[in-house]
Amino acid sequence: MEEVAADVRARVEESFRRQGLMEHLGARISYVGVGEVRIELPSRPEVTQQHGYFHAGATSSIADSAGGYAAFTLFPEGTTVLTVEFKINLLAPAEGERLEAVGTVIKPGRTLTICKLEVFAVTGARRSLVAVGQQTLIQVEARPER
């Protein structure tokens, strides 16, 4: 993928820092490209379910944010992004050293943008697809910070 301009990357990273849930989960952005964002989530007990796998809520949350920020890379200054809807299919138990969510724009639009969501469990060099989804996002005028 093509790297984004420095100002777009800064807007994405600044917005991401304001997400309390991503901070709480321990997620971080690992890549920002034009129409693609990757978010990693290290394994730790606080993000697992009763069997020790990554919790579906944590998996879904990083997928949602990856897609949202992928769309955001294409939005003009003075706008922001909100999720309208998303669907995720959990394909396999998510276990590994970390999860990597990849959000990729499928169809950009003036108002609505559609993204593909993929989540991989990663251990060393092994990467296994554990979830896939699709998402619709809306471009809205940015409001002053709360």
Side-chain angles (χ1 to χ4, degrees):
M1 290 295 297
E2 176 187 347
E3 288 284 330
V4 295
D7 63 320
V8 173
R9 182 178 183 86
R11 280 178 49 223
V12 168
E13 290 176 345
E14 192 274 327
S15 177
F16 186 81
R17 279 191 297 275
R18 292 194 317 268
Q19 284 200 1
L21 181 60
M22 291 297 107
E23 181 179 344
H24 180 71
L25 293 175
R28 68 175 188 85
I29 291 179
S30 60
Y31 176 78
V32 180
V34 176
E36 181 180 306
V37 167
R38 297 174 185 225
I39 295 175
E40 293 187 351
L41 178 64
S43 180
R44 56 190 231 285
E46 294 83 1
V47 296
T48 62
Q49 44 85 295
Q50 71 275 17
H51 302 293
Y53 301 121
F54 281 93
H55 194 283
T59 303
S60 299
S61 293
I62 64 169
D64 175 42
S65 286
Y69 284 114
F72 190 54
T73 66
L74 303 178
F75 292 178
E77 184 82 32
T79 63
T80 192
V81 63
L82 292 172
T83 299
V84 173
E85 62 82 31
F86 75 98
K87 178 194 184 336
I88 194 151
N89 292 96
L90 304 167
L91 307 174
E95 67 178 328
E97 295 169 356
R98 69 184 187 280
L99 293 183
E100 180 186 45
V102 181
T104 308
V105 172
I106 297 171
K107 176 157 186 339
R110 283 180 297 143
T111 305
L112 297 178
T113 295
I114 311 300
C115 287
K116 172 177 70 171
L117 309 173
E118 298 174 297
V119 182
F120 298 88
V122 181
T123 300
R126 195 181 93 229
R127 225 169 155 244
S128 173
L129 184 65
V130 296
V132 295
Q134 186 170 297
Q135 177 184 45
T136 304
L137 303 128
I138 190 167
Q139 176 180 300
V140 294
E141 187 176 319
R143 295 176 30 181
E145 300 307 314
R146 295 180 184 203

